[in-house]
Amino acid sequence: NAGVMQNPRHLVRRRGQEARLRCSPMKGHSHVYWYRQLPEEGLKFMVYLQKENIIDESGMPKERFSAEFPKEGPSILRIQQVVRGDSAAYFCASSPSQGHTEAFFGQGTRLTVV
Amino acid sequence: GENVEQHPSTLSVQEGDSAVIKCTYSDSASNYFPWYKQELGKGPQLIIDIRSNVGEKKDQRIAVTLNKTAKHFSLHITETQPEDSAVYFCAASKAAAGNKLTFGGGTRVLVKP
């Protein structure tokens, strides 16, 4: 059973470009969470999605950031017009259901904005 | 919202000694407390968790204790080994919040051979 798959592992973008981060949850998992980790800091919640629904986006910046989890395909975290402050590691986690509390993380995407 | 504090931020121990990391949380409704180990360049790995209806849980060399009244929980690693060197994060969540995790700031553990 493959774990949570994130790609790309590393992403370099110039200021003003768009970054698209992908996350495929573990098989059978329908709940996806995105977290951001700044250097030398803990992980901060961004958004919680189920298939085709955003459940909680209280941690998402109001502008430039969006997320989706379509019926088919991976979850996408999209950052438009990236700025240097967006440089961070972005982690996706999945769990099988809301009643199941264990969340398993992917290896992350390290975004560098130059 | 929930706030999780974690101490110490760094911990250096001699191989074979024990390591203890402590966390406090603010939301009395939180009912799930996982611990994650993160190695350099990798994602967090769940190592042990505890639910609020349990006071202590053990898995080989690691154990977690929970004091709901005081709102704190601790990770204990016994007989530490060099491969235990990593950053450890505690977290808290509650079902009412969709199980989103609030993390502590992390503890960098160094086990010296």
Side-chain angles (χ1 to χ4, degrees), chain A residues 20-107:
Chain A
R20 291 171 69 87
L21 288 61
R22 289 176 290 278
C23 168
S24 295
M26 288 179 69
K27 187 176 181 181
H29 287 196
S30 59
H31 297 243
V32 166
Y33 306 79
W34 286 92
Y35 293 84
R36 177 165 63 177
Q37 185 176 36
L38 295 171
E40 304 299 320
E41 292 188 13
L43 292 90
K44 304 294 185 188
F45 168 78
M46 299 182 74
V47 62
Y48 163 37
L49 311 103
Q50 295 177 24
K51 284 285 188 180
E52 300 185 276
N53 288 303
I54 296 175
I55 306 302
D56 182 347
E57 55 182 349
S58 58
M60 288 276 272
K62 293 291 184 284
E63 298 178 347
R64 303 188 296 108
F65 284 71
S66 62
E68 62 176 7
F69 189 14
K71 185 176 181 181
E72 301 291 338
S75 175
I76 305 288
L77 179 67
R78 182 183 178 204
I79 311 172
Q80 295 178 290
Q81 300 172 351
V82 295
V83 301
R84 289 230 171 104
D86 297 333
S87 296
Y90 292 83
F91 290 97
C92 167
S94 73
S95 67
S97 69
Q98 188 167 1
H100 252 83
T101 45
E102 295 92 343
F104 298 92
F105 282 79
Q107 298 286 24

Coordinates of all heavy atoms in Angstrom, one line a residue, chain A residues 20-107:
Chain A
R20 N 2.2 24.8 -8.5 CA 1.2 23.8 -8.3 C 1.8 22.6 -7.7 O 2.7 22.0 -8.2 CB 0.6 23.5 -9.7 CG -0.2 24.6 -10.3 CD -0.6 24.3 -11.7 NE -1.6 23.2 -11.8 CZ -2.9 23.4 -11.7 NH1 -3.4 24.6 -11.6 NH2 -3.8 22.4 -11.9
L21 N 1.2 22.3 -6.5 CA 1.7 21.1 -5.7 C 0.7 20.1 -5.7 O -0.5 20.4 -5.5 CB 2.0 21.6 -4.3 CG 3.3 22.5 -4.0 CD1 3.2 23.8 -4.8 CD2 3.4 22.7 -2.6
R22 N 1.1 18.8 -5.9 CA 0.1 17.7 -6.0 C 0.3 16.7 -4.9 O 1.4 16.5 -4.4 CB 0.3 17.0 -7.4 CG -0.2 17.8 -8.6 CD 0.1 17.1 -9.9 NE 1.5 17.1 -10.2 CZ 2.2 18.1 -10.8 NH1 1.6 19.2 -11.1 NH2 3.5 17.9 -11.0
C23 N -0.8 16.2 -4.5 CA -0.8 15.2 -3.4 C -1.8 14.1 -3.7 O -3.0 14.3 -3.9 CB -1.2 15.9 -2.1 SG -1.6 14.7 -0.8
S24 N -1.3 12.8 -3.8 CA -2.2 11.7 -3.9 C -2.3 11.0 -2.6 O -1.3 10.5 -2.1 CB -1.7 10.7 -5.0 OG -1.7 11.3 -6.3
P25 N -3.5 10.9 -2.0 CA -3.6 10.3 -0.6 C -3.4 8.8 -0.7 O -3.3 8.2 -1.8 CB -5.0 10.6 -0.2 CG -5.7 10.8 -1.5 CD -4.7 11.4 -2.5
M26 N -3.2 8.2 0.5 CA -3.1 6.8 0.6 C -4.4 6.1 0.0 O -5.5 6.7 0.1 CB -2.9 6.3 2.0 CG -1.5 6.7 2.6 SD -1.3 6.2 4.3 CE -1.3 4.4 4.1
K27 N -4.3 5.0 -0.5 CA -5.4 4.3 -1.1 C -6.5 4.1 0.0 O -6.2 3.7 1.1 CB -5.0 2.9 -1.6 CG -6.1 2.1 -2.3 CD -5.5 0.8 -2.9 CE -6.6 0.1 -3.7 NZ -6.1 -1.2 -4.2
G28 N -7.7 4.5 -0.4 CA -8.8 4.3 0.6 C -9.0 5.5 1.5 O -10.0 5.6 2.2
H29 N -8.1 6.5 1.4 CA -8.2 7.7 2.2 C -9.0 8.8 1.4 O -8.6 9.1 0.2 CB -6.9 8.3 2.6 CG -6.2 7.4 3.7 ND1 -5.1 7.9 4.4 CD2 -6.5 6.2 4.1 CE1 -4.8 7.0 5.2 NE2 -5.5 5.9 5.1
S30 N -10.0 9.4 2.0 CA -10.7 10.4 1.3 C -10.6 11.8 1.9 O -11.3 12.7 1.5 CB -12.2 10.0 1.2 OG -12.7 9.9 2.6
H31 N -9.7 11.9 3.0 CA -9.6 13.2 3.7 C -8.1 13.6 3.5 O -7.2 12.9 3.7 CB -9.9 13.0 5.1 CG -11.3 12.7 5.4 ND1 -12.2 13.5 6.1 CD2 -12.0 11.6 5.1 CE1 -13.4 12.9 6.2 NE2 -13.3 11.8 5.5
V32 N -8.0 14.9 3.0 CA -6.6 15.4 2.7 C -6.4 16.7 3.5 O -7.3 17.6 3.6 CB -6.4 15.7 1.2 CG1 -5.2 16.5 1.0 CG2 -6.3 14.3 0.5
Y33 N -5.3 16.9 4.1 CA -4.9 18.1 4.8 C -3.6 18.6 4.2 O -2.7 17.8 4.0 CB -4.7 17.8 6.3 CG -5.8 17.1 7.0 CD1 -6.1 15.7 6.8 CD2 -6.7 17.8 7.8 CE1 -7.1 15.1 7.5 CE2 -7.8 17.1 8.4 CZ -8.0 15.8 8.3 OH -9.0 15.1 8.9
W34 N -3.5 19.9 4.1 CA -2.3 20.6 3.7 C -1.7 21.4 4.8 O -2.4 22.1 5.5 CB -2.5 21.5 2.5 CG -2.7 20.8 1.2 CD1 -3.9 20.4 0.6 CD2 -1.7 20.4 0.2 NE1 -3.6 19.8 -0.6 CE2 -2.3 19.8 -0.8 CE3 -0.3 20.5 0.2 CZ2 -1.6 19.3 -1.9 CZ3 0.4 20.0 -0.9 CH2 -0.2 19.4 -1.9
Y35 N -0.4 21.2 5.0 CA 0.3 22.0 6.1 C 1.6 22.7 5.5 O 2.1 22.2 4.5 CB 0.8 21.0 7.2 CG -0.3 20.4 8.0 CD1 -0.9 19.3 7.6 CD2 -0.7 21.0 9.2 CE1 -2.0 18.7 8.3 CE2 -1.7 20.4 10.0 CZ -2.3 19.3 9.5 OH -3.3 18.7 10.2
R36 N 2.0 23.8 6.1 CA 3.2 24.5 5.6 C 4.2 24.5 6.7 O 3.8 24.7 7.9 CB 2.8 25.9 5.2 CG 4.0 26.7 4.8 CD 3.6 28.0 4.0 NE 2.8 28.9 4.8 CZ 2.5 30.1 4.3 NH1 2.8 30.5 3.1 NH2 1.7 30.9 5.0
Q37 N 5.4 24.3 6.4 CA 6.5 24.3 7.4 C 7.6 25.3 6.9 O 8.3 25.0 5.9 CB 7.1 22.9 7.6 CG 8.1 22.9 8.7 CD 8.6 21.4 8.9 OE1 8.8 20.6 8.0 NE2 8.9 21.1 10.2
L38 N 7.7 26.3 7.7 CA 8.8 27.3 7.4 C 10.1 26.7 8.0 O 10.0 25.9 9.0 CB 8.4 28.7 8.0 CG 7.2 29.4 7.3 CD1 6.8 30.6 8.1 CD2 7.6 29.7 5.9
P39 N 11.2 27.2 7.6 CA 12.5 26.6 8.1 C 12.6 26.8 9.6 O 12.3 27.8 10.2 CB 13.6 27.5 7.4 CG 12.9 27.9 6.1 CD 11.5 28.1 6.5
E40 N 13.0 25.7 10.2 CA 13.2 25.6 11.7 C 11.9 25.9 12.5 O 12.0 26.3 13.6 CB 14.3 26.7 12.1 CG 15.6 26.5 11.4 CD 16.2 25.1 11.7 OE1 16.2 24.7 12.8 OE2 16.8 24.5 10.8
E41 N 10.8 25.7 11.9 CA 9.5 25.9 12.6 C 8.6 24.6 12.5 O 8.9 23.7 11.8 CB 8.7 27.1 12.0 CG 9.4 28.4 12.3 CD 8.5 29.5 11.9 OE1 7.3 29.3 11.6 OE2 9.1 30.7 11.8
G42 N 7.6 24.6 13.3 CA 6.6 23.5 13.2 C 5.7 23.7 12.0 O 5.8 24.6 11.2
L43 N 4.8 22.7 11.9 CA 3.9 22.7 10.8 C 2.6 23.5 11.1 O 2.1 23.3 12.2 CB 3.5 21.2 10.4 CG 4.6 20.4 9.8 CD1 5.4 19.7 10.9 CD2 4.0 19.3 8.8
K44 N 2.1 24.2 10.2 CA 0.9 25.0 10.3 C -0.2 24.5 9.4 O 0.1 24.4 8.2 CB 1.2 26.5 10.1 CG 2.4 27.1 10.9 CD 2.0 27.1 12.4 CE 3.2 27.8 13.1 NZ 3.0 27.7 14.6
F45 N -1.3 24.3 9.9 CA -2.5 23.9 9.1 C -2.9 24.9 8.1 O -2.9 26.1 8.4 CB -3.6 23.6 10.1 CG -5.0 23.4 9.3 CD1 -5.2 22.2 8.7 CD2 -5.9 24.4 9.3 CE1 -6.4 22.0 8.0 CE2 -7.1 24.2 8.6 CZ -7.4 23.0 8.0
M46 N -3.2 24.4 6.9 CA -3.6 25.4 5.9 C -5.1 25.1 5.5 O -5.9 25.9 5.6 CB -2.8 25.3 4.6 CG -1.3 25.6 4.8 SD -0.4 25.5 3.3 CE -0.9 27.0 2.5
V47 N -5.3 23.8 5.0 CA -6.7 23.5 4.5 C -7.0 22.0 4.6 O -6.1 21.2 4.6 CB -6.8 24.0 3.0 CG1 -5.7 23.2 2.2 CG2 -8.1 23.8 2.5
Y48 N -8.3 21.7 4.8 CA -8.8 20.4 4.9 C -9.8 20.2 3.8 O -10.8 20.9 3.7 CB -9.3 20.2 6.3 CG -10.2 19.0 6.5 CD1 -10.0 17.8 5.9 CD2 -11.3 19.1 7.4 CE1 -10.8 16.7 6.2 CE2 -12.1 18.0 7.7 CZ -11.9 16.8 7.0 OH -12.7 15.7 7.3
L49 N -9.6 19.1 3.1 CA -10.5 18.8 2.0 C -11.0 17.4 2.0 O -10.2 16.5 2.4 CB -9.8 19.1 0.6 CG -9.1 20.4 0.4 CD1 -7.6 20.1 0.5 CD2 -9.4 20.9 -1.0
Q50 N -12.2 17.2 1.5 CA -12.7 15.9 1.2 C -12.9 15.9 -0.3 O -12.9 17.0 -0.9 CB -13.9 15.5 1.9 CG -13.7 15.4 3.4 CD -15.0 15.1 4.2 OE1 -16.0 14.6 3.6 NE2 -15.1 15.5 5.4
K51 N -13.2 14.8 -0.9 CA -13.5 14.7 -2.4 C -14.5 15.8 -2.8 O -15.6 15.9 -2.3 CB -14.0 13.4 -2.8 CG -12.9 12.3 -2.8 CD -12.0 12.4 -4.0 CE -11.0 11.3 -4.1 NZ -10.1 11.4 -5.3
E52 N -14.0 16.7 -3.6 CA -14.8 17.8 -4.2 C -15.3 18.8 -3.2 O -16.1 19.7 -3.6 CB -16.0 17.2 -5.0 CG -15.7 16.2 -6.1 CD -16.9 15.7 -6.9 OE1 -17.5 14.8 -6.4 OE2 -17.1 16.3 -7.9
N53 N -14.8 18.8 -2.0 CA -15.3 19.8 -1.0 C -14.1 20.3 -0.2 O -13.3 19.6 0.2 CB -16.3 19.1 -0.1 CG -17.6 18.9 -0.7 OD1 -18.3 19.8 -1.2 ND2 -18.1 17.6 -0.7
I54 N -14.2 21.6 0.0 CA -13.3 22.2 1.0 C -14.0 22.3 2.3 O -15.1 22.9 2.4 CB -12.9 23.7 0.6 CG1 -12.1 23.6 -0.7 CG2 -12.0 24.3 1.7 CD1 -11.7 25.0 -1.3
I55 N -13.5 21.6 3.3 CA -14.2 21.5 4.6 C -13.7 22.7 5.6 O -14.5 23.3 6.3 CB -13.9 20.2 5.3 CG1 -14.2 19.0 4.4 CG2 -14.7 20.1 6.6 CD1 -15.7 19.0 3.9
D56 N -12.4 23.0 5.6 CA -11.9 24.0 6.5 C -10.7 24.6 5.8 O -9.7 23.9 5.5 CB -11.5 23.3 7.8 CG -11.0 24.3 8.8 OD1 -10.7 25.5 8.5 OD2 -10.9 24.0 10.0
E57 N -10.8 25.9 5.5 CA -9.6 26.6 4.9 C -9.2 27.8 5.8 O -8.7 28.7 5.3 CB -10.0 27.1 3.5 CG -11.2 28.0 3.4 CD -11.5 28.4 2.0 OE1 -10.7 28.2 1.1 OE2 -12.6 28.9 1.8
S58 N -9.4 27.6 7.1 CA -9.1 28.7 8.0 C -7.6 29.0 8.1 O -7.2 30.1 8.5 CB -9.6 28.3 9.4 OG -9.0 27.1 9.8
G59 N -6.7 28.1 7.6 CA -5.3 28.4 7.6 C -4.7 28.9 6.3 O -3.5 29.2 6.2
M60 N -5.6 29.1 5.4 CA -5.1 29.5 4.0 C -5.0 31.0 4.0 O -5.9 31.7 4.4 CB -6.1 29.1 3.0 CG -6.0 27.6 2.7 SD -4.7 27.1 1.6 CE -5.6 27.3 0.0
P61 N -3.9 31.6 3.4 CA -3.9 33.0 3.2 C -5.0 33.4 2.3 O -5.5 32.6 1.4 CB -2.5 33.2 2.5 CG -1.7 32.0 2.9 CD -2.6 30.9 3.1
K62 N -5.6 34.6 2.5 CA -6.8 35.0 1.8 C -6.6 35.2 0.3 O -7.5 35.0 -0.5 CB -7.3 36.3 2.4 CG -7.8 36.2 3.9 CD -9.0 35.4 3.9 CE -9.6 35.3 5.3 NZ -8.9 34.3 6.2
E63 N -5.4 35.5 -0.1 CA -5.1 35.8 -1.5 C -4.0 34.8 -2.0 O -3.2 34.4 -1.3 CB -4.7 37.2 -1.7 CG -5.7 38.2 -1.3 CD -5.3 39.7 -1.4 OE1 -4.1 39.9 -1.6 OE2 -6.1 40.6 -1.3
R64 N -4.1 34.6 -3.3 CA -3.1 33.8 -4.0 C -3.1 32.3 -3.8 O -2.5 31.6 -4.6 CB -1.7 34.4 -3.8 CG -1.5 35.9 -4.1 CD 0.0 36.3 -4.1 NE 0.5 36.1 -2.7 CZ 1.4 35.2 -2.4 NH1 1.8 34.3 -3.3 NH2 1.8 35.1 -1.1
F65 N -3.6 31.8 -2.7 CA -3.6 30.4 -2.4 C -5.0 29.8 -2.7 O -6.0 30.4 -2.3 CB -3.2 30.2 -0.9 CG -1.8 30.4 -0.6 CD1 -1.2 31.7 -0.6 CD2 -1.0 29.3 -0.3 CE1 0.1 31.8 -0.4 CE2 0.4 29.5 0.0 CZ 0.9 30.8 0.0
S66 N -5.0 28.6 -3.3 CA -6.2 27.9 -3.4 C -5.9 26.4 -3.4 O -4.8 26.0 -3.6 CB -6.9 28.3 -4.7 OG -6.1 27.9 -5.8
A67 N -6.9 25.6 -3.1 CA -6.8 24.2 -3.0 C -8.0 23.5 -3.6 O -9.1 24.0 -3.5 CB -6.5 23.7 -1.6
E68 N -7.8 22.3 -4.1 CA -8.9 21.5 -4.6 C -8.6 20.0 -4.5 O -7.4 19.6 -4.4 CB -9.2 21.8 -6.1 CG -8.1 21.5 -7.0 CD -8.4 21.7 -8.5 OE1 -9.5 22.3 -8.8 OE2 -7.6 21.4 -9.4
F69 N -9.6 19.2 -4.4 CA -9.5 17.8 -4.4 C -10.6 17.2 -5.2 O -11.7 16.9 -4.8 CB -9.6 17.3 -2.9 CG -9.3 15.9 -2.7 CD1 -8.6 15.1 -3.6 CD2 -9.6 15.2 -1.5 CE1 -8.3 13.8 -3.4 CE2 -9.3 13.9 -1.3 CZ -8.7 13.2 -2.2
P70 N -10.3 17.1 -6.5 CA -11.4 16.7 -7.5 C -11.8 15.2 -7.2 O -11.1 14.4 -6.6 CB -10.7 16.9 -8.8 CG -9.3 16.8 -8.6 CD -9.1 17.3 -7.2
K71 N -12.9 14.9 -7.9 CA -13.4 13.5 -7.8 C -12.4 12.5 -8.3 O -12.2 11.4 -7.7 CB -14.7 13.4 -8.6 CG -15.4 12.1 -8.4 CD -16.8 12.1 -9.2 CE -17.5 10.8 -9.1 NZ -18.8 10.8 -9.8
E72 N -11.7 12.9 -9.3 CA -10.7 12.0 -9.9 C -9.4 12.8 -9.8 O -9.3 14.0 -10.1 CB -11.0 11.6 -11.3 CG -12.3 10.9 -11.5 CD -12.3 9.5 -10.9 OE1 -11.1 8.9 -10.8 OE2 -13.4 8.9 -10.6
G73 N -8.3 12.1 -9.5 CA -7.0 12.7 -9.5 C -6.6 13.3 -8.1 O -7.3 13.2 -7.1
P74 N -5.4 13.8 -8.1 CA -4.8 14.2 -6.8 C -5.4 15.5 -6.3 O -6.0 16.3 -7.0 CB -3.3 14.4 -7.2 CG -3.3 14.8 -8.6 CD -4.4 14.1 -9.2
S75 N -5.1 15.8 -5.1 CA -5.4 17.1 -4.5 C -4.3 18.1 -5.0 O -3.1 17.7 -5.2 CB -5.4 17.1 -3.0 OG -5.5 18.4 -2.5
I76 N -4.7 19.3 -5.3 CA -3.8 20.4 -5.8 C -3.8 21.6 -4.9 O -4.8 22.1 -4.5 CB -4.2 20.8 -7.2 CG1 -4.3 19.7 -8.2 CG2 -3.2 21.9 -7.7 CD1 -3.0 19.1 -8.6
L77 N -2.6 22.0 -4.5 CA -2.4 23.3 -3.8 C -1.8 24.2 -4.8 O -0.7 23.9 -5.3 CB -1.5 23.1 -2.6 CG -1.3 24.4 -1.8 CD1 -2.6 24.9 -1.1 CD2 -0.2 24.2 -0.7
R78 N -2.5 25.3 -5.0 CA -2.0 26.3 -6.1 C -1.7 27.6 -5.4 O -2.4 28.1 -4.6 CB -3.1 26.4 -7.1 CG -2.8 27.4 -8.2 CD -4.1 27.5 -9.1 NE -3.9 28.4 -10.2 CZ -4.9 29.0 -10.9 NH1 -6.1 28.8 -10.5 NH2 -4.6 29.8 -11.9
I79 N -0.5 28.1 -5.8 CA 0.0 29.4 -5.3 C 0.2 30.3 -6.5 O 1.1 30.0 -7.3 CB 1.2 29.3 -4.4 CG1 1.1 28.2 -3.3 CG2 1.5 30.6 -3.7 CD1 2.4 27.9 -2.6
Q80 N -0.5 31.3 -6.6 CA -0.4 32.2 -7.7 C 0.6 33.4 -7.3 O 0.7 33.8 -6.1 CB -1.7 32.8 -8.1 CG -2.7 31.8 -8.7 CD -4.0 32.4 -9.0 OE1 -4.8 32.8 -8.1 NE2 -4.3 32.5 -10.3
Q81 N 1.3 33.9 -8.3 CA 2.1 35.1 -8.1 C 3.0 34.9 -6.9 O 3.0 35.7 -6.0 CB 1.3 36.3 -8.0 CG 0.5 36.6 -9.3 CD -0.5 37.7 -9.1 OE1 -0.7 38.2 -8.0 NE2 -1.1 38.1 -10.2
V82 N 3.8 33.9 -6.9 CA 4.6 33.5 -5.7 C 5.5 34.7 -5.3 O 6.0 35.4 -6.1 CB 5.4 32.2 -5.9 CG1 4.5 31.0 -6.0 CG2 6.4 32.3 -7.0
V83 N 5.8 34.8 -4.0 CA 6.7 35.7 -3.4 C 7.7 35.0 -2.6 O 7.5 33.8 -2.3 CB 6.0 36.8 -2.5 CG1 5.0 37.6 -3.4 CG2 5.3 36.2 -1.3
R84 N 8.8 35.6 -2.2 CA 9.9 34.9 -1.5 C 9.4 34.3 -0.2 O 9.8 33.3 0.2 CB 11.0 35.9 -1.2 CG 11.8 36.3 -2.5 CD 13.3 36.1 -2.3 NE 14.0 36.2 -3.5 CZ 14.7 37.3 -3.9 NH1 14.8 38.4 -3.1 NH2 15.3 37.4 -5.0
G85 N 8.4 35.0 0.5 CA 7.9 34.5 1.7 C 7.1 33.2 1.6 O 6.8 32.6 2.6
D86 N 6.8 32.8 0.3 CA 6.1 31.5 0.1 C 7.1 30.3 0.2 O 6.7 29.2 0.2 CB 5.4 31.5 -1.2 CG 4.3 32.5 -1.3 OD1 3.7 32.9 -0.3 OD2 4.0 33.0 -2.4
S87 N 8.4 30.6 0.2 CA 9.4 29.5 0.3 C 9.2 28.7 1.6 O 9.3 29.3 2.6 CB 10.8 30.1 0.2 OG 11.0 30.7 -1.1
A88 N 9.0 27.5 1.4 CA 8.7 26.6 2.6 C 8.6 25.2 2.1 O 8.6 24.9 0.9 CB 7.4 27.0 3.3
A89 N 8.4 24.3 3.1 CA 8.0 22.9 2.7 C 6.5 22.8 2.9 O 6.0 23.2 4.0 CB 8.8 21.9 3.6
Y90 N 5.9 22.2 1.9 CA 4.4 22.0 2.0 C 4.2 20.5 2.1 O 4.6 19.7 1.2 CB 3.8 22.6 0.8 CG 3.9 24.1 0.7 CD1 5.0 24.7 0.3 CD2 2.8 24.9 1.2 CE1 5.1 26.1 0.3 CE2 2.9 26.3 1.2 CZ 4.1 26.9 0.7 OH 4.2 28.3 0.7
F91 N 3.5 20.1 3.1 CA 3.2 18.7 3.4 C 1.7 18.4 3.2 O 0.8 19.2 3.7 CB 3.6 18.3 4.8 CG 5.1 18.3 5.0 CD1 5.8 19.4 5.5 CD2 5.9 17.2 4.5 CE1 7.2 19.3 5.6 CE2 7.2 17.1 4.7 CZ 7.9 18.2 5.2
C92 N 1.4 17.3 2.7 CA 0.1 16.8 2.6 C -0.1 15.6 3.5 O 0.9 14.8 3.7 CB -0.2 16.4 1.1 SG -1.7 15.4 0.8
A93 N -1.2 15.5 4.2 CA -1.5 14.3 5.0 C -2.9 13.8 4.6 O -3.7 14.5 4.1 CB -1.5 14.7 6.5
S94 N -3.1 12.5 4.8 CA -4.4 11.9 4.5 C -4.8 11.0 5.6 O -4.0 10.5 6.4 CB -4.4 11.1 3.2 OG -3.7 9.9 3.3
S95 N -6.1 10.9 5.7 CA -6.7 10.0 6.7 C -7.9 9.3 6.0 O -8.5 9.9 5.1 CB -7.1 10.7 8.0 OG -8.2 11.6 7.8
P96 N -8.3 8.1 6.5 CA -9.4 7.4 5.8 C -10.8 8.0 6.0 O -11.6 7.8 5.2 CB -9.3 6.0 6.4 CG -8.6 6.1 7.7 CD -7.7 7.3 7.6
S97 N -11.0 8.6 7.2 CA -12.4 9.1 7.4 C -12.3 10.1 8.6 O -11.2 10.2 9.2 CB -13.3 8.0 7.8 OG -13.0 7.5 9.1
Q98 N -13.3 10.9 8.8 CA -13.3 11.9 9.8 C -13.2 11.2 11.2 O -12.6 11.7 12.1 CB -14.5 12.8 9.8 CG -14.4 14.0 10.7 CD -15.4 15.0 10.4 OE1 -16.2 14.9 9.5 NE2 -15.4 16.1 11.1
G99 N -13.8 10.0 11.3 CA -13.7 9.3 12.6 C -12.4 8.8 12.9 O -12.1 8.5 14.0
H100 N -11.6 8.5 11.9 CA -10.2 8.0 12.1 C -9.3 9.2 12.2 O -9.2 10.1 11.4 CB -9.8 7.2 10.8 CG -9.7 5.8 11.0 ND1 -10.8 5.0 11.0 CD2 -8.7 4.9 11.3 CE1 -10.5 3.7 11.2 NE2 -9.2 3.7 11.4
T101 N -8.6 9.2 13.3 CA -7.8 10.4 13.6 C -6.3 10.3 13.1 O -5.7 11.3 13.0 CB -7.8 10.7 15.1 OG1 -7.6 9.5 15.8 CG2 -9.1 11.3 15.5
E102 N -5.9 9.1 12.8 CA -4.5 9.0 12.4 C -4.3 9.7 11.0 O -5.1 9.4 10.1 CB -4.1 7.5 12.3 CG -4.0 6.8 13.6 CD -5.4 6.1 13.8 OE1 -6.4 6.4 13.2 OE2 -5.3 5.2 14.7
A103 N -3.3 10.5 10.9 CA -3.0 11.1 9.6 C -1.6 10.8 9.2 O -0.7 10.8 10.1 CB -3.1 12.7 9.8
F104 N -1.4 10.4 8.0 CA -0.1 10.0 7.5 C 0.3 11.0 6.4 O -0.4 11.4 5.5 CB -0.3 8.6 6.8 CG -0.7 7.6 7.8 CD1 -2.0 7.3 8.0 CD2 0.3 6.9 8.6 CE1 -2.4 6.3 9.0 CE2 -0.1 6.0 9.6 CZ -1.5 5.7 9.7
F105 N 1.6 11.4 6.6 CA 2.1 12.5 5.8 C 3.0 12.0 4.6 O 3.6 11.0 4.7 CB 3.1 13.4 6.7 CG 2.3 14.3 7.6 CD1 1.8 13.9 8.7 CD2 2.2 15.7 7.2 CE1 1.0 14.8 9.6 CE2 1.5 16.6 8.0 CZ 0.9 16.1 9.2
G106 N 3.0 12.8 3.6 CA 3.8 12.6 2.5 C 5.2 13.2 2.8 O 5.5 13.7 3.8
Q107 N 6.1 13.1 1.8 CA 7.5 13.6 2.0 C 7.6 15.1 1.7 O 8.7 15.6 2.0 CB 8.4 12.8 1.0 CG 8.5 11.3 1.2 CD 9.3 11.0 2.5 OE1 9.4 11.7 3.4 NE2 9.8 9.7 2.5

